[in-house]
Amino acid sequence: TTEIYTLSLHDALPICCGGIHSPLFHDGTFEFVPIPDSRGLDERTYGNSKGQAGRAFAEYFPKRRQEAARSQAMHVDPEFESFTYGDPTPPKRNLAQLKPGDLLVFYAGMEGWGHTSHPALYIAGKFRVELAGFAPSFSNEQLQREFGQNYHVRHRTVFAEQRERLVLIKGGKGSRLFQKAHLIGETVRQESGTLWQVITPAMEKVFGKFGGIGSLQRSTPRWVEDKLASEAESFVESLD
C-alpha cells in the first residue's frame, strides 16, 4: 500500500508556514518549512531553527514579516529526525489503518527562492511505516520512546486534549526527507473559473488518479490503487 499525504494546502493554492511556500532552490533542493504553532507552545521558532542550507527559517519570509516570524513558534510535524507524524483531525483517521511496511509519502507547496519558479506541489519525503494507530493503542512507554519528539506528544496539554482521537505514525528504516523536491501537482483552471490542484500527467502514470479526478486539493490522504502500488513504490524508492 502506498499512501500519498498532503502536508499543507489552503483553498486553491499550496500554502504552508503561515502564508509562504517552502523555498525551492535552483538546483532542485529545498527547505521543508514547518507550519506555525498556533498555540505558541513549542520552543522551536522560525528564528532559532535552521534548515539544511544553514539559514534560519525566518529568512525565507518576506522582509516585512521576518521580525515577527523570528519569535513565532513552529508546529514541527511531520518531523524527520525520529520520523513521526501525528494528527487528531477527522480527515486523517484512516491513516490508523497503515500497516508496518506501508509507504507514507509527504508532499508540500513550494515556490522558487532566488529564482523564478511558480508555486506547485512537490514530493518532499517518505516514511516506511513501522507503527501506526490511535494514541490509546500504545503504552505510555511506547509513546515516550517512539513518539516523544512528536509535537502532539511532547506537549502534555495538547496530548491530554487530543489523546483519544490522535493518530500517530512512526517511520522506520528507509524513512527520510529527500535531498531534492519532485514535482507531483500543478494548478489548473476549472470550467467554473476556480483554480484546482491536480496531479501532473507524468505523475498520474505512476500514482493514478486516486480513484477520482486526480485532485490534490486540501489535506485529505490519497491512497494509490492496488494495481499501481508496486510501480508507485518503486518510483518513490528511486527518488534522491
Side-chain angles (χ1 to χ4, degrees):
T1 302
T2 300
E3 165 24 20
I4 303 297
Y5 166 72
T6 176
L7 173 64
S8 182
L9 284 176
H10 179 71
D11 295 328
L13 294 175
I15 299 292
C16 71
C17 6
I20 68 168
H21 301 87
S22 285
L24 176 66
F25 306 119
H26 66 89
D27 62 355
T29 59
F30 65 97
E31 294 290 11
F32 195 67
V33 184
I35 62 174
D37 173 14
S38 60
R39 299 171 184 253
L41 296 175
D42 210 283
E43 71 281 4
R44 295 165 292 185
T45 70
Y46 294 114
N48 66 21
S49 301
K50 295 182 179 180
Q52 299 180 95
R55 290 177 177 267
F57 288 132
E59 295 184 37
Y60 297 113
F61 283 74
K63 289 190 179 300
R64 69 182 185 280
R65 298 178 55 196
Q66 288 182 5
E67 186 60 36
R70 289 189 182 98
S71 60
Q72 170 63 56
M74 301 188 304
H75 183 123
V76 184
D77 195 10
E79 53 89 12
F80 288 89
E81 292 186 5
S82 66
F83 304 107
T84 67
Y85 173 68
D87 199 301
T89 62
K92 311 306 189 315
R93 289 182 60 84
N94 60 0
L95 291 180
Q97 302 172 16
L98 290 170
K99 301 292 190 296
D102 283 352
L103 196 60
L104 176 62
V105 180
F106 297 90
Y107 60 89
M110 301 184 192
E111 183 176 11
W113 196 85
H115 69 109
T116 301
S117 178
H118 295 298
L121 299 176
Y122 292 82
I123 295 174
K126 66 174 182 176
F127 283 5
R128 179 65 73 174
V129 177
E130 184 175 290
L131 296 169
F134 287 100
S137 67
F138 301 108
S139 68
N140 290 334
E141 181 184 2
Q142 277 183 303
L143 287 168
Q144 292 306 313
R145 184 180 68 246
E146 306 293 352
F147 300 101
Q149 291 192 48
N150 184 266
Y151 174 89
H152 300 269
V153 176
R154 68 186 289 161
H155 297 292
R156 294 183 179 181
T157 56
V158 175
F159 184 71
E161 173 191 324
Q162 300 176 347
R163 182 177 185 273
E164 297 304 313
R165 63 183 189 279
L166 177 63
V167 173
L168 291 169
I169 311 295
K170 170 76 174 182
K173 185 177 180 180
S175 302
R176 64 190 180 97
L177 188 65
F178 294 124
Q179 291 296 311
K180 294 189 175 182
H182 303 275
L183 184 68
I184 188 174
E186 60 186 357
T187 303
V188 299
R189 187 175 297 276
Q190 305 286 32
E191 292 182 1
S192 63
T194 59
L195 298 176
W196 204 252
Q197 297 295 320
V198 299
I199 194 167
T200 65
M203 291 297 95
E204 182 184 324
K205 293 178 181 178
V206 177
F207 297 110
K209 301 181 75 171
F210 313 117
I213 61 174
S215 169
L216 297 175
Q217 198 77 358
R218 304 185 188 280
S219 58
T220 304
R222 269 72 177 179
W223 299 82
V224 173
E225 298 174 47
D226 289 345
K227 64 181 180 181
L228 296 174
S230 179
E231 181 181 350
E233 180 179 12
S234 296
F235 171 78
V236 172
E237 291 294 348
S238 74
L239 301 179
D240 57 4

